[in-house]
């Protein structure tokens, strides 16, 4: 076997092994709008939402799919940096291996005991069927 062929074979094997363990990460550019997002098993979505923790305004969510894990990391009251108009809550959506979709995640911001100030929905789906892997 030539050294070029062996090198190519080794790179192919490494790519296949790494591909099995890769975690796809995606940052949603405009999160506070209703949108539909195609996801894959093992993928993670990240975005920030503006909130005012000092005024008691916080984001929450509803999601009924056990294969979709949603977490919101809120900043503690009084930790806003100088000159910053609002706080940001960090959101992470993790798609587990058993995910079949579709799933609607409803996000809403409100103060305790008051009506919802703002809301939006992110609908997730998984493409099923034949398609080119590079698309």
């Amino acid at each position: 076997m030539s050294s070029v062929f062996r090198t190519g074979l080794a790179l192919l094997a490494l790519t296949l092994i790494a591909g099995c363990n890769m975690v796809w990460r995606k940052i949603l550019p405009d999160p506070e709008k209703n949108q539909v997002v195609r996801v894959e098993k093992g993928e993670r979505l990240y975005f920030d939402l503006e909130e005012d923790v000092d005024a008691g305004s916080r984001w929450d969510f509803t999601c009924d799919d056990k294969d979709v894990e949603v977490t919101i990391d809120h900043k503690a009251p009084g930790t806003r940096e100088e000159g910053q108009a609002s706080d940001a809550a960090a959101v992470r959506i993790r798609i587990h291996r058993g995910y079949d979709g579709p799933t609607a995640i409803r996000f809403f911001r409100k103060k305790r005991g008051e009506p919802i100030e703002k809301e939006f929905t992110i609908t997730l789906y998984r493409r099923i069927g034949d398609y080119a892997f590079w698309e």
Side-chain angles (χ1 to χ4, degrees):
M1 254 195 283
S2 73
S3 64
V4 173
F5 181 73
R6 277 184 288 195
T7 303
L9 196 57
L11 286 173
L12 177 63
L14 284 173
T15 303
L16 290 173
I17 291 169
C20 293
N21 295 321
M22 289 179 71
V23 174
W24 299 103
R25 298 170 190 259
K26 187 184 298 182
I27 297 175
L28 294 182
D30 199 9
E32 292 187 23
K33 293 185 178 178
N34 294 332
Q35 55 187 301
V36 177
V37 179
R38 184 182 59 145
V39 295
E40 299 293 330
K41 296 175 183 181
E43 189 169 17
R44 293 183 182 157
L45 307 173
Y46 297 94
F47 56 91
D48 290 335
L49 297 172
E50 289 185 19
E51 65 182 7
D52 190 353
V53 177
D54 293 334
S57 178
R58 295 174 64 114
W59 283 98
D60 204 353
F61 68 92
T62 59
C63 178
D64 295 332
D65 194 326
K66 65 180 176 56
D67 293 320
V68 176
E69 177 184 337
V70 181
T71 57
I72 301 177
D73 294 327
H74 303 279
K75 287 189 175 183
T79 59
R80 181 181 304 150
E81 295 177 17
E82 189 174 326
Q84 199 175 20
S86 62
D87 295 316
V91 179
R92 182 182 77 224
I93 301 172
R94 181 176 174 212
I95 312 303
H96 292 282
R97 290 184 187 193
Y99 179 73
D100 289 325
T103 302
I105 306 169
R106 181 176 159 255
F107 291 90
F108 53 93
R109 184 179 68 199
K110 64 181 253 175
K111 293 179 183 175
R112 182 173 286 158
E114 294 188 19
I116 293 173
E117 300 170 349
K118 188 170 189 176
E119 68 180 301
F120 66 95
T121 301
I122 295 178
T123 303
L124 307 175
Y125 76 97
R126 190 179 130 234
R127 184 185 336 208
I128 298 174
D130 294 335
Y131 63 93
F133 68 87
W134 58 84
E135 291 185 341

